[in-house]
């Protein structure tokens, strides 16, 4: 292995390596080499969806001529019982983007989210971007996690998985072993991740540990494997789960969304440094031919992801996430709960998406908390329906919280939606303030 000195982005170059072995000179030449940033894209079916499956697919597949410096690579679907040092098989060796290798087939390669993310990055950076797609539909996070990270979260048993969303390999670590670990000596700029549906009914309550643990373990592994070339805390972006037309009205999807942030409701946070998130709950798709769990608007997903990458990975000063609640104040005498946000807010539509948990006689019930008044950066909720003690407040806590791009709250300049949250009010005295976000 040879570690090259850092090069300025650009190319193409020819790289020549020479070695003398038993008095014999061996020369290897690699042509059309670009220097730039490499991003790894992983997860389950929403990451695996190809460009041929998204909205405006024909136009997207034809739009490759200007992006010949965005190179793509796709890992084959392989499992292994032990960590592999090299990939057993690849679907697509490093290649220039074409309509054929971007839209090879349904749930094959190349990942649409990965490609569109890289394309948006190239539009901004104007230097080469390498994209590695390594994803498998219907897979839980445990399959992508090393034994070390699973043990750190107390995931010890290997029982049968009873979940409608697990259709791919579910045995612990088999995809980490075969599809991630073999890449560990590569130099990455960062990772993007779209997964979680398969953990809605499997180890859901552990996801607030298994996901941060996966991020930490991947960071350690790639940093060591690349001899320090990959940053120890490289940027890690993810897509918060979108909506799903479910026959039940439970809150399992909202719980996974919350656990994706390690129960903070936002990133970066203390448990998930150098991370960024694309909120997707407003990108629902009732008529998706691939099922509502597979929305076709991957352009907006990738655009929101790339904003996070520009801020977290490249240090740009820009807004990359929607408004977050910072303070709340209970005005019990007026029957109002005031929320102050981190950014300017715009009410897209009046929709009862806030709920207050009201407790009496040791029983609590979620009740609607309609919008009362709205200002540039705060709003007041009507909580007069609560005849007992207000215990908690939540926003967009539903599997399908709103219609396409029609959630109530957005940031007006960036059109980024406010993410879902839940906050407890039990220690909040009337007239007192509580800070919700750091």
């Amino acid at each position: 292995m040879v570690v090259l000195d850092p090069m300025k982005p650009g190319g193409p170059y020819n790289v020549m390596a020479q070695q003398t072995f038993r008095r014999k000179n061996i020369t290897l030449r690699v042509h059309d080499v670009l220097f730039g940033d490499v991003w790894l894209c992983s997860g389950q079916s929403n990451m695996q969806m190809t460009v041929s499956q998204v909205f405006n697919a024909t136009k997207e597949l034809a739009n490759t001529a200007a992006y010949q410096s965005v190179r793509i690579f796709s890992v084959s679907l392989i499992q292994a019982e032990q960590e592999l040092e090299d990939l057993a098989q690849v679907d697509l060796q490093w290649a220039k983007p074409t309509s054929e290798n971007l839209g090879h087939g349904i749930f094959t390669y190349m990942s649409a989210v990965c490609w569109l993310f890289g394309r948006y990055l190239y539009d901004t950076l104007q230097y080469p971007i390498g994209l590695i797609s390594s994803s498998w539909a219907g897979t839980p996070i445990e399959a992508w996690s090393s034994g070390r990270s699973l043990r750190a979260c107390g995931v010890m048993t290997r029982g049968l998985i009873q979940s409608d969303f697990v259709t791919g390999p579910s045995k612990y670590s088999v995809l980490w072993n075969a599809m991630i670990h073999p890449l560990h000596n590569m130099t990455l700029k960062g990772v993007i991740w779209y997964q979680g549906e398969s953990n809605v009914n499997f180890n859901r309550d552990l996801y607030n540990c298994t996901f941060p643990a996966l991020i930490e373990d991947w960071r350690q592994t790639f940093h060591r494997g690349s001899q320090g070339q990959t940053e120890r805390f490289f940027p890690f972006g993810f897509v918060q789960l979108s909506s799903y037309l479910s026959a039940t009205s439970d809150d399992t999807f909202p719980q996974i969304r919350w656990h994706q942030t390690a129960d903070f409701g936002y990133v970066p946070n203390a448990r998930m440094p150098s991370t960024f998130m694309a909120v997707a709950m407003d990108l629902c798709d009732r008529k998706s031919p691939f099922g509502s769990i597979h929305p076709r608007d991957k352009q907006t997903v990738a655009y929101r992801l790339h904003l996070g990458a520009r801020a977290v990975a490249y240090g740009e000063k820009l807004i990359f996430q929607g408004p977050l609640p910072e303070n709340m104040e209970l005005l019990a005498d007026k029957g109002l709960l005031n929320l102050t946000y981190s950014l300017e807010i715009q009410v897209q539509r009046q929709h009862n998406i806030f709920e207050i948990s009201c407790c009496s006689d040791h029983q609590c019930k979620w009740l609607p908390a309609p919008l009362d008044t709205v200002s540039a950066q705060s709003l007041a909720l009507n909580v007069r329906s609560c005849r007992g003690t207000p215990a908690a407040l939540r926003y967009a806590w539903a599997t399908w919280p709103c219609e396409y791009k029609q959630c109530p709250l957005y940031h007006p300049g960036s059109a980024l939606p406010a993410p879902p949250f839940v906050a407890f009010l039990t220690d909040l005295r009337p007239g007192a303030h509580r800070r919700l976000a750091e």
Side-chain angles (χ1 to χ4, degrees), residues 29-88:
R29 290 180 173 86
V30 185
H31 303 284
D32 195 18
V33 175
L34 302 180
F35 287 86
D37 292 341
V38 176
W39 286 81
L40 170 61
C41 312
S42 187
Q44 56 181 112
S45 54
N46 271 301
M47 182 62 84
Q48 196 180 8
M49 284 177 71
T50 65
V51 182
S52 62
Q53 294 178 261
V54 304
F55 284 134
N56 302 316
T58 302
K59 179 182 177 183
E60 298 291 4
L61 289 171
N63 185 19
T64 61
Y67 298 100
Q68 296 302 292
S69 291
V70 180
R71 301 295 169 86
I72 58 179
F73 182 99
S74 188
V75 177
S76 295
L77 278 56
I78 298 289
Q79 304 176 59
E81 294 294 325
Q82 303 294 329
E83 292 179 347
L84 302 184
E85 289 303 314
D86 201 357
L87 294 170

Side-chain angles (χ1 to χ4, degrees), residues 164-175:
D164 294 339
F165 297 117
V166 179
T167 57
S170 58
K171 196 171 182 180
Y172 295 174
S173 305
V174 291
L175 304 185

